[in-house]
Amino acid sequence: MFGGVAAKTRHEDILDRLRQDGRVQVSELAARLGTSEVTIRRDLDLLAEQGTLRRIQGGAVSLLAHGEDMPFAMREVESAQAKHRIGVLTAGLIRDGEAVVVDSGTTGLAVAHALAGRRLTAMPLSLRVAVALSVNSSVHLLLPGGNARFGEGSLVGSLTESSVSALRFDTAVVTCCGLSPHDGVTAHDVEDAAVKRAAVRSARRVVLVAEAAKFTRTALAVVCGIEEVDVLVTDVAAPEADVARIREAGVQVHRA
């Protein structure tokens, strides 16, 4: 069972338990996931190499402080199938010929992969998104200046903000670290939030992409209120009550 889709599912469950409890036990995880303790130990060793947890006797503890986001590689594992579906659905909302700014993060990367090969003018807000969009000459890439955050690859700083603010886009595809009807759209990194705000201000239409897990989190920096979002693309596991309140705020909601 070690490898492939099964491994991704296990890793996602392990990360979820770490978020909730701060620690996990090998024996408990093996029973919960229906696999061997040897496989769970390998999973934990791999996750430890990627900086998310520290191995202890019989299990592991989280290395993430409260309010801190997981490393990019670990977020790619979390809700990977939902992010893929969100990316495909979001790409279907964008017409050929549009000018689009595509945000950073793992869900932004999923959207970029779905848009690759389309006839668009696009400004990527991360190095990873730029690479994904550059595979076909049909996408006219506008690269902003700025600083690249180590490990994350997102572009931040005054140069990035001014590059975004100098243009007017048909659509801004915006990602987030947390989402709620009350607190709005939030991000862990203050500089990243500033770039997101610039994208919101510079677009005729704001499409927020967020998998269900984002509804359980509120991050440090406010990006915008939910009323500033035109379209939310989420997945079928998003909480019904929150989705209803977001619709009441005038946001069009699509579930992937």
Side-chain angles (χ1 to χ4, degrees), residues 5 7-20 47 50 52 64 68-86 105-108 110 176-178 188 210-217 235:
V5 175
K8 287 186 177 182
T9 301
R10 291 197 309 274
H11 294 172
E12 186 173 335
D13 195 281
I14 291 168
L15 293 172
D16 184 59
R17 300 302 299 178
L18 279 171
R19 278 192 183 278
Q20 293 181 43
L47 295 174
Q50 295 175 328
T52 300
L64 297 176
E68 185 180 19
D69 205 6
M70 290 189 297
F72 190 96
M74 292 298 92
R75 299 204 316 278
E76 278 194 296
V77 172
E78 186 182 43
S79 306
Q81 293 181 356
K83 290 174 184 176
H84 172 73
R85 296 194 305 271
I86 289 170
T106 55
T107 314
C176 65
C177 301
H188 286 292
E211 69 277 13
K214 299 296 174 64
F215 285 81
T216 66
R217 305 166 192 166
D235 62 76

Side-chain angles (χ1 to χ4, degrees), residues 37-231:
E37 293 191 7
V38 171
T39 296
I40 295 298
R41 289 191 186 95
R42 289 173 179 165
D43 289 341
L44 295 180
D45 289 342
L46 177 61
L47 295 174
E49 288 175 9
Q50 295 175 328
T52 300
L53 56 82
R54 175 171 57 84
R55 293 285 274 114
I56 60 173
Q57 185 174 3
V61 295
S62 175
L63 287 179
L64 297 176
H66 291 295
E68 185 180 19
D69 205 6
M70 290 189 297
F72 190 96
M74 292 298 92
R75 299 204 316 278
E76 278 194 296
V77 172
E78 186 182 43
S79 306
Q81 293 181 356
K83 290 174 184 176
H84 172 73
R85 296 194 305 271
I86 289 170
V88 172
L89 196 159
T90 303
L93 299 176
I94 296 172
R95 301 181 305 274
D96 283 349
E98 282 198 40
V100 184
V101 56
V102 183
D103 205 355
S104 58
T106 55
T107 314
L109 182 58
V111 174
H113 282 306
L115 288 173
R118 293 280 300 279
R119 183 173 59 82
L120 301 166
T121 296
M123 177 174 279
L125 296 183
S126 85
L127 300 180
R128 299 173 193 270
V129 169
V131 170
L133 290 172
S134 67
V135 298
N136 194 297
S137 61
S138 65
V139 178
H140 178 212
L141 278 182
L142 300 174
L143 299 178
N147 303 315
R149 292 171 61 203
F150 178 76
E152 187 72 18
S154 56
L155 298 167
V156 297
S158 58
L159 286 176
T160 310
E161 289 180 55
S162 61
S163 296
V164 174
S165 298
L167 300 172
R168 292 297 175 265
F169 300 93
D170 296 301
T171 301
V173 177
V174 178
T175 63
C176 65
C177 301
L179 171 64
S180 79
H182 179 264
D183 294 312
V185 181
T186 55
H188 286 292
D189 185 85
V190 173
E191 287 190 304
D192 187 42
V195 172
K196 294 177 191 295
R197 284 195 295 271
V200 169
R201 290 192 301 266
S202 295
R204 292 191 182 94
R205 178 178 65 158
V206 176
V207 178
L208 177 67
V209 291
E211 69 277 13
K214 299 296 174 64
F215 285 81
T216 66
R217 305 166 192 166
T218 298
L220 174 67
V222 175
V223 175
C224 65
I226 198 65
E227 69 279 356
E228 295 179 71
V229 174
D230 298 296
V231 180

